[in-house]
């Protein structure tokens, strides 16, 4: 029987990979290999999967053509999959150039949307991209921001439109199918409750023992250790690490007041909607020293 | 080859009549050509082919894995490129695996040109919206068949170490199956048994299969080319 797709959606560097590690462990009941989480269903923008599904070479397509064809790929996946498929996506929920939803309702079962404080996203994204924090703050505020949009090489993933950070969030909250929102901060503070909620929504095993085992197997330190030992396929070659810090308020040590203010000025309304306090300020230098001394 | 060109010419005529751009014919010709090869009982693989010391080696893998760039590095070392992107081999019902001649040019991205020190000025772009260029491999038209000596499947390396290893048996077969062009269409044509026969016939014909795990770091291409040459000589 055909199985529709569950989307695991987020803005980049918001906790999607950790979520997938937990779900992989819940499904397989085995220690997760961070370089092989294909049991879930792969990434929605993966170029190889697109080419293989359609039998054409996306290297020969324009960005517009490849985006227009993506809904067809997802329809084929939904039609052919014999088990539930959970696909990671970073795209905003938007229309293709030809005017249809990128993620077709007919191919979709629902979505989990992982959201993280944009101030923490900015710091993590800057490390990931090898760009300055100021650059990334500007990217997060630009409606034209894309991932995989290089014209000088063939990126591993198809081009993904991110829109502005707040538009990314709102696009998924307004998607015309069930969307379960989970905050990265909840995943850190009470992982058992957060992941049990996600598992229940996705109709996955959610008994406390299974969730506790999955949470324990995917502790941040374990993922970091695995990356150090064997590497991680999603880490850009020039980034130092993918699993870097993973904290809630690390941004308070890494942003200056002006940077934090620019983010809240652009995205404050949506931040408040999600429970992020826009008035929270970066730590002063002496406060940072006290934290470091502890 | 002529059938493929005729397809392209007719497609261009139709597009011009409709007032539409004609700069992206590969979407039409690439997959269609691959289907035609399947229908003719040949095996199209996603690979570029370089002749190293008189032996044809197919550098195989999906788009973006660096097949053409690695072929260009080997060409710069003095080895002849005889096909790019699609490698059509005859195998299964004949005595040796032979590579059909392809077009003597490489399709290279701008970053690859920069790494190779090839200026883009004067090169024809393959796409108007992306910086991908046709680069003449400088060998003129290739007419004769070449005996296939080795297949090197390029995969992404998650760590920093570049490695090459010989694949055998079931593992080699799985890797080879993943690089068959238009696999879904071939399956719809009922080609699966013939593909299986062709792939399993490669080892008895003396074709060795290798996996080259390449890190993302573009600086390692020279080392990758040296590893391929060393593997062929081993």
């Amino acid at each position: 029987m055909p199985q529709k797709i569950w989307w695991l959606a987020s803005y980049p560097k918001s906790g999607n990979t950790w979520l997938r590690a937990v779900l992989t462990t819940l499904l397989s009941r085995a220690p997760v290999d961070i370089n092989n989480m294909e049991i879930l269903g792969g990434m929605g923008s993966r170029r190889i999967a697109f080419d293989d599904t359609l039998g054409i070479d996306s290297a020969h397509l324009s960005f517009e053509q490849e985006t227009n064809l993506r809904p067809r790929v997802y329809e084929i996946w939904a039609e052919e999959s014999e088990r539930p498929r959970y696909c990671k996506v970073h795209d905003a929920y938007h229309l293709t150039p030809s005017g249809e939803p990128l993620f077709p309702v007919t191919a979709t079962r629902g979505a989990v949307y992982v959201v993280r404080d944009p101030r923490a996203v900015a710091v993590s994204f800057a490390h990931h991209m090898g760009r300055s924090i100021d650059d990334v703050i500007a990217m997060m505020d630009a409606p034209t921001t894309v991932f995989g949009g290089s014209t000088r090489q063939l990126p591993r993933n198809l081009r993904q439109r991110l829109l502005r950070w707040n538009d990314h969030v709102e696009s998924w909250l307004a998607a015309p199918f069930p969307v379960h929102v989970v905050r990265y901060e909840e995943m850190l503070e009470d992982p058992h409750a957060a992941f049990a909620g996600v598992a229940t929504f996705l109709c996955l095993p959610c008994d406390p023992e299974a969730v506790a085992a999955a949470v324990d197997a995917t502790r941040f330190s374990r993922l970091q250790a695995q990356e150090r030992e064997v590497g991680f396929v999603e880490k850009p070659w020039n980034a130092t690490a993918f699993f870097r810090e993973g904290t809630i308020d690390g941004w308070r040590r890494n942003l200056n007041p002006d940077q934090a203010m620019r983010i809240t000025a652009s995205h404050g309304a949506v931040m408040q909607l999600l429970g992020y306090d826009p008035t929270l300020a970066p730590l002063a230098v002496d406060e940072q020293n006290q934290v470091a001394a502890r | 080859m002529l059938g493929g060109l005729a397809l392209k010419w007719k497609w261009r005529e139709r597009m011009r009549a409709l007032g539409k751009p004609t700069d992206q014919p590969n979407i039409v010709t690439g997959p269609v050509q691959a289907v035609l090869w399947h229908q003719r009982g040949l095996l199209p693989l996603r690979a570029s082919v370089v002749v190293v010391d008189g032996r044809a080696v197919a550098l195989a893998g999906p788009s973006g894995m660096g097949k053409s760039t690695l072929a260009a590095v080997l060409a710069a070392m003095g080895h002849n490129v005889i096909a790019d992107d699609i490698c059509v081999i005859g195998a299964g019902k004949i005595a040796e695996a032979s590579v059909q001649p392809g077009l003597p040019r490489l399709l290279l991205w701008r970053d690859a040109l920069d790494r190779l020190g090839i200026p883009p000025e004067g090169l024809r772009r393959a796409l108007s919206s992306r910086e991908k260029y046709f680069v003449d491999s400088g060998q003129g038209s290739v007419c004769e068949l070449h005996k296939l000596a080795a297949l090197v499947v390029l995969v992404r390396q998650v760590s920093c170490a570049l490695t090459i290893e010989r694949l055998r048996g079931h593992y080699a077969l799985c890797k080879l199956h993943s690089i068959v062009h238009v696999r879904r269409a071939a399956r719809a044509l009922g080609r699966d048994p013939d593909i299986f026969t062709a792939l399993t016939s490669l080892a008895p014909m003396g074709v060795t299969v290798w996996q080259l795990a390449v890190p993302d770091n573009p600086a390692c291409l020279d080392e990758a080319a040296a590893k391929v040459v060393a593997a062929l000589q081993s």
Side-chain angles (χ1 to χ4, degrees):
Chain A
M1 182 182 156
Q3 298 278 349
K4 292 183 179 181
I5 303 167
W6 293 101
W7 302 108
L8 307 177
S10 72
Y11 199 87
K13 305 308 290 179
S14 298
N16 204 322
T17 302
W18 182 25
L19 170 69
R20 287 165 66 229
V22 172
L23 297 181
T24 300
T25 311
L26 275 175
L27 269 174
S28 66
R29 304 276 180 145
V32 67
D33 172 355
I34 56 173
N35 291 301
N36 185 10
M37 297 195 273
E38 294 302 307
I39 187 175
L40 286 180
M43 189 153 173
S45 58
R46 183 73 77 220
R47 184 177 302 280
I48 293 174
F50 175 97
D51 288 6
D52 209 36
T53 302
L54 296 182
I56 59 178
D57 194 340
S58 55
H60 300 313
L61 301 180
S62 66
F63 290 126
E64 183 178 339
Q65 287 170 328
E66 70 180 28
T67 308
N68 280 336
L69 284 169
R70 283 176 64 184
R72 304 289 81 74
V73 172
Y74 305 137
E75 284 166 358
I76 292 171
W77 289 358
E79 181 62 32
E80 294 187 349
S81 186
E82 292 175 352
R83 58 175 180 76
R85 191 164 181 146
Y86 311 87
C87 292
K88 172 182 173 176
V89 288
H90 284 320
D91 309 79
Y93 186 83
H94 64 82
L95 301 181
T96 65
S98 60
E100 63 176 318
L102 180 65
F103 304 108
V105 175
T106 51
T108 299
R109 181 98 183 264
V112 173
Y113 187 72
V114 190
V115 66
R116 184 181 187 186
D117 189 322
R119 294 165 292 196
V121 171
V123 174
S124 183
F125 208 5
H127 279 277
H128 184 79
M129 302 278 284
R131 305 272 295 270
S132 72
I133 289 175
D134 287 323
D135 277 357
V136 167
I137 290 172
M139 278 173 53
M140 291 173 66
D141 197 27
T144 52
T145 295
V146 295
F147 232 19
S150 172
T151 61
R152 296 174 55 98
Q153 56 169 304
L154 192 66
R156 213 179 307 168
N157 287 296
L158 304 169
R159 188 173 72 158
Q160 303 142 74
R161 285 184 69 199
L162 302 184
L163 309 181
R164 300 172 70 229
W165 178 85
N166 56 322
D167 291 335
H168 191 283
V169 175
E170 290 187 309
S171 75
W172 277 101
L173 297 187
F177 40 71
V179 178
H180 177 86
V181 179
V182 59
R183 299 191 329 154
Y184 178 76
E185 293 75 10
E186 291 164 9
M187 287 158 56
L188 273 176
E189 287 170 344
D190 189 353
H192 300 89
F195 290 121
V198 172
T200 304
F201 177 74
L202 295 175
C203 310
L204 285 170
C206 55
D207 55 281
E209 293 77 21
V211 173
V215 168
D216 183 58
T218 58
R219 284 206 310 263
F220 199 79
S221 58
R222 290 190 199 272
L223 302 181
Q224 275 183 317
Q226 203 176 129
E227 182 183 8
R228 271 196 306 274
E229 193 178 335
V230 296
F232 182 38
V233 71
E234 291 184 29
K235 180 186 85 67
W237 71 271
N238 52 353
T240 49
F242 185 93
F243 299 104
R244 198 181 56 83
E245 190 174 301
T247 57
I248 292 176
D249 57 1
W251 66 268
R252 297 186 72 195
R253 286 180 279 107
N254 292 291
L255 293 185
N256 63 41
D258 176 60
Q259 289 168 332
M261 195 186 68
R262 270 184 277 145
I263 293 171
T264 53
S266 297
H267 312 297
V270 171
M271 288 172 67
Q272 279 186 311
L273 181 73
L274 294 163
Y276 298 121
D277 180 1
T279 63
L280 200 60
L283 295 174
V285 175
D286 57 335
E287 289 175 302
Q288 289 191 30
N289 291 338
Q290 286 170 16
V291 171
R294 274 186 243 137
Chain B
M1 179 64 71
L2 280 174
L5 286 173
L7 267 173
K8 186 150 91 176
W9 293 331
K10 286 186 176 176
W11 174 83
R12 277 200 178 131
E13 283 169 18
R14 281 201 309 276
M15 293 297 276
R16 283 197 187 111
L18 293 168
K20 292 187 173 178
T22 60
D23 65 338
Q24 290 169 352
N26 283 332
I27 181 179
V28 179
T29 57
V32 174
Q33 275 181 326
V35 170
L36 289 173
W37 294 124
H38 277 297
Q39 286 181 320
R40 288 183 57 188
L42 296 164
L43 184 63
L45 303 177
R46 304 178 69 92
S48 303
V49 186
V50 182
V51 179
V52 178
D53 300 332
R55 306 167 75 201
V57 53
L59 309 167
S63 286
M65 208 53 79
K67 305 182 292 287
S68 301
T69 310
L70 186 54
V73 173
L74 286 160
M77 293 163 65
H79 306 294
N80 287 349
V81 177
I82 61 168
D84 185 35
D85 210 27
I86 298 184
C87 159
V88 183
I89 62 174
K93 293 172 183 168
I94 51 179
E96 66 176 28
S98 54
V99 180
Q100 306 283 321
L103 293 172
R105 55 103 180 101
L106 291 163
L107 271 167
L108 295 175
W109 292 90
R110 176 61 190 270
D111 277 358
L113 291 182
D114 288 354
R115 282 200 295 277
L116 295 162
I118 302 172
E121 290 78 22
L123 298 178
R124 190 160 68 88
R125 276 172 84 138
L127 286 168
S128 56
S129 58
R130 296 191 182 189
E131 296 183 73
K132 193 178 188 186
Y133 298 86
F134 291 107
V135 179
D136 193 327
S137 62
Q139 283 120 47
S141 294
V142 182
C143 300
E144 70 273 24
L145 297 177
H146 281 76
K147 182 185 173 189
L148 182 66
L151 267 155
V152 179
V153 183
L154 277 67
V155 298
R156 186 86 54 197
Q157 174 69 289
V158 295
S159 71
C160 297
L162 191 148
T163 59
I164 190 164
E165 62 174 318
R166 177 94 182 261
L167 303 181
R168 298 171 196 272
H170 173 71
Y171 195 50
L173 193 61
C174 289
K175 276 286 168 202
L176 292 176
H177 191 256
S178 73
I179 52 150
V180 174
H181 221 307
V182 292
R183 277 184 297 168
R184 284 167 168 265
R187 176 168 296 165
L189 290 168
R191 285 272 297 151
D192 272 353
D194 290 339
I195 290 172
F196 181 78
T197 303
L199 294 178
T200 51
S201 73
L202 292 175
M205 290 175 177
V207 180
T208 55
V209 181
W210 304 81
Q211 176 171 281
L212 179 67
V214 190
D216 259 350
N217 184 351
C220 67
L221 279 170
D222 288 344
E223 187 190 349
K227 292 239 185 214
V228 169
V229 173
L232 283 173
Q233 292 167 344
S234 64

